[in-house]
Amino acid sequence: VFSFAAHWRAWDGPVAARLVVSAIVGIVIGSLIISVISEPVLRRIIAVSMLLYVAIFGLLRRIDVAPERVKSLGWLAGASSGVTSTIAHLGGPPIVFYLLSMGLAPRRFVATTVVFFGVINVLKVPSYFLAGLFDGELIVSTLWAWVLIPAGVVLGRLLIDRIDRTAFERVTLLLLAAGALVLLVR
């Protein structure tokens, strides 16, 4: 809610819609396989895909592929994000890859991810409820962190317009690769 307010109407509506529609398919698939895939296998699949996204992004930049040509990958990015987000809350990598490849400015990038993940997280609630995954004790144990959310949103909003797009891309890719390595060694 705070992020929606901070980035109100700064998102790319057609891109967000394309991603959300395809993510619904991924959420259904993820809901069907959530109880049959092991966490270690899923973690490795996601880590390898994250490293592939970083490599492919670097390749796309080197051969200078226009964002319009990348647009068609939105359906794949949304669907794969829906699956990985439903199973392990790791839907970010395909979306990061796709939005960076689209060449969105940092604020538009962040605002579009806010809309995308806000909508798909609400859509996942029924499948989590049906799978019995809500844990009241876990929710209560994390309440202390919830008070930090508004401060983080305000800080992010203050910084997003000050960051250079190239630096934003590099930091985002570095974090994506580092996250993949953490998943591989865990």
Side-chain angles (χ1 to χ4, degrees):
V1 172
F2 292 108
S3 293
F4 268 97
H7 299 288
W8 188 250
R9 294 192 179 179
W11 50 77
D12 188 315
V15 169
R18 183 179 316 112
L19 292 171
V20 167
V21 168
S22 58
I24 292 170
V25 173
I27 291 168
V28 170
I29 294 168
S31 297
L32 295 172
I33 63 174
I34 195 168
S35 60
V36 297
I37 192 166
S38 73
E39 181 187 338
V41 169
L42 180 66
R43 192 171 51 236
R44 284 183 184 88
I45 290 170
I46 292 171
V48 169
S49 69
M50 289 166 71
L51 292 173
L52 284 172
Y53 290 135
V54 171
I56 292 168
F57 180 80
L59 178 64
L60 290 176
R61 280 293 185 249
R62 284 195 182 275
I63 60 175
D64 199 28
V65 174
E68 296 79 35
R69 301 221 33 213
V70 177
K71 191 179 283 189
S72 63
L73 296 175
W75 300 101
L76 178 61
S80 59
S81 180
V83 170
T84 57
S85 180
T86 300
I87 295 173
H89 291 293
L90 285 169
I95 300 305
V96 166
F97 164 75
Y98 179 69
L99 294 179
L100 285 179
S101 298
M102 290 292 296
L104 298 181
R107 179 149 188 238
R108 198 161 188 85
F109 174 101
V110 170
T112 304
T113 61
V114 166
V115 169
F116 174 74
F117 286 108
V119 171
I120 71 163
N121 284 335
V122 168
L123 292 174
K124 291 186 303 186
V125 169
S127 65
Y128 286 167
F129 182 75
L130 291 172
L133 297 176
F134 283 107
D135 182 352
E137 190 175 312
L138 177 63
I139 292 170
V140 169
S141 73
T142 61
L143 284 177
W144 65 269
W146 293 27
V147 299
L148 300 175
I149 293 171
V153 170
V154 168
L155 180 62
R157 179 63 188 92
L158 291 172
L159 296 175
I160 197 67
D161 290 330
R162 291 176 172 83
I163 191 166
D164 172 68
R165 185 170 144 206
T166 303
F168 178 79
E169 285 181 359
R170 287 182 181 151
V171 168
T172 302
L173 290 171
L174 178 66
L175 291 172
L176 193 59
L181 295 176
V182 167
L183 286 174
L184 285 173
V185 298
R186 267 185 70 202

